[in-house]
Amino acid sequence: NAGVMQNPRHLVRRRGQEARLRCSPMKGHSHVYWYRQLPEEGLKFMVYLQKENIIDESGMPKERFSAEFPKEGPSILRIQQVVRGDSAAYFCASSPLGRTSGNTIYFGEGSWLTVV
Amino acid sequence: GQQVMQIPQYQHVQEGEDFTTYCNSSTTLSNIQWYKQRPGGHPVFLIQLVKSGEVKKQKRLTFQFGEAKKNSSLHITATQTTDVGTYFCADVYGGSQGNLIFGKGTKLSVKP
């Protein structure tokens, strides 16, 4: 069974460019979560999506960040006009069910974004 | 907002020594999860505690949930170099399994 697949693993962008991070959940999982981890910090929840729906985006910055999980294809986290402060590891996680307690979520290996 | 505090931030031990990390909250935790992240790696789920006073063991790891559900601990007996990494606790926020509130983690280094 393939785990949660994220790409690219490493991405370098210049200030002002766009970054697109992709996440394919585990087979059979329809719930996707994005987290951001700054160096030496814990993970911060960003957004929770189901297919074609954003369920909870309370952790998303108000500007420049967007996320989608289309009917077909991977979930995309998009960061427009990147700034140095966006440099971080972005982790995607998935679960088979969202709001049912007892479910484990599984993290992908992360995408490391560096803004120069 | 809801916060989960974790101490210590760093812990250096000699191989064979024990290690404990503590997770505290000012509010009642719903379910507490523990994760391990190796350097350069991704968080790997270790365990979930649900009940007040719950204790669970995984080989040399012992996880406890406080009676008031406001604290939790992870204890490793006789550490090995393979235990190196950062250990995070996380509260399941608002009943949504994926909206986890993470502590800042305890970074464990083990000297052989």
Side-chain angles (χ1 to χ4, degrees):
Chain A
N1 277 336
V4 178
M5 304 300 290
Q6 287 188 249
N7 68 84
R9 293 293 314 281
H10 298 276
L11 182 64
V12 179
R13 284 286 179 266
R14 295 187 184 280
R15 281 179 294 170
Q17 291 185 319
E18 178 180 286
R20 282 193 180 215
L21 310 177
R22 288 175 290 278
C23 170
S24 296
M26 284 180 73
K27 189 176 181 181
H29 288 193
S30 58
H31 299 254
V32 165
Y33 316 87
W34 285 94
Y35 285 80
R36 176 165 63 176
Q37 185 177 35
L38 296 170
E40 304 295 318
E41 294 280 326
L43 288 86
K44 301 285 187 198
F45 169 79
M46 299 182 75
V47 63
Y48 161 34
L49 310 109
Q50 293 178 33
K51 286 282 187 183
E52 300 184 281
N53 282 310
I54 297 175
I55 306 302
D56 181 351
E57 56 181 349
S58 57
M60 286 281 270
K62 294 282 187 283
E63 297 175 348
R64 303 186 298 107
F65 284 72
S66 62
E68 62 176 6
F69 189 14
K71 189 176 179 181
E72 302 291 336
S75 175
I76 307 281
L77 178 67
R78 182 181 176 205
I79 311 171
Q80 295 177 293
Q81 299 170 348
V82 296
V83 300
R84 287 220 170 105
D86 297 332
S87 296
Y90 292 83
F91 288 97
C92 172
S94 73
S95 72
L97 295 170
R99 292 185 181 272
T100 303
S101 65
N103 274 313
T104 304
I105 70 170
Y106 298 86
F107 283 88
E109 295 188 342
S111 290
W112 268 260
L113 171 66
T114 303
V115 180
V116 297
Chain B
Q2 184 178 8
Q3 281 191 324
V4 175
M5 279 73 71
Q6 212 174 330
I7 55 169
Q9 190 174 357
Y10 300 97
Q11 185 78 56
H12 309 282
V13 300
Q14 193 77 31
E15 189 173 20
E17 291 181 338
D18 292 355
F19 159 76
T20 305
T21 173
Y22 301 91
C23 186
N24 298 289
S25 172
S26 56
T27 58
T28 302
L29 300 163
S30 48
N31 302 337
I32 199 84
Q33 297 185 352
W34 285 93
Y35 291 81
K36 178 183 177 181
Q37 185 177 25
R38 292 184 185 276
H42 63 285
V44 175
F45 174 83
L46 294 176
I47 210 157
Q48 176 168 271
L49 304 173
V50 177
K51 298 176 185 175
S52 166
E54 191 170 11
V55 178
K56 287 189 177 179
K57 292 193 174 186
Q58 289 179 351
K59 296 183 181 178
R60 294 178 296 103
L61 277 61
T62 302
F63 303 85
Q64 290 190 311
F65 204 2
E67 292 290 342
K69 296 185 76 173
K70 288 189 174 183
N71 58 76
S72 180
S73 65
L74 158 58
H75 179 82
I76 303 179
T77 304
T79 55
Q80 301 174 357
T81 53
T82 52
D83 296 325
V84 164
T86 302
Y87 292 85
F88 294 97
C89 62
D91 183 30
V92 181
Y93 177 69
S96 171
Q97 193 67 14
N99 187 345
L100 298 169
I101 307 297
F102 279 85
K104 290 193 173 183
T106 296
K107 191 171 184 177
L108 172 65
S109 61
V110 179
K111 191 175 180 182

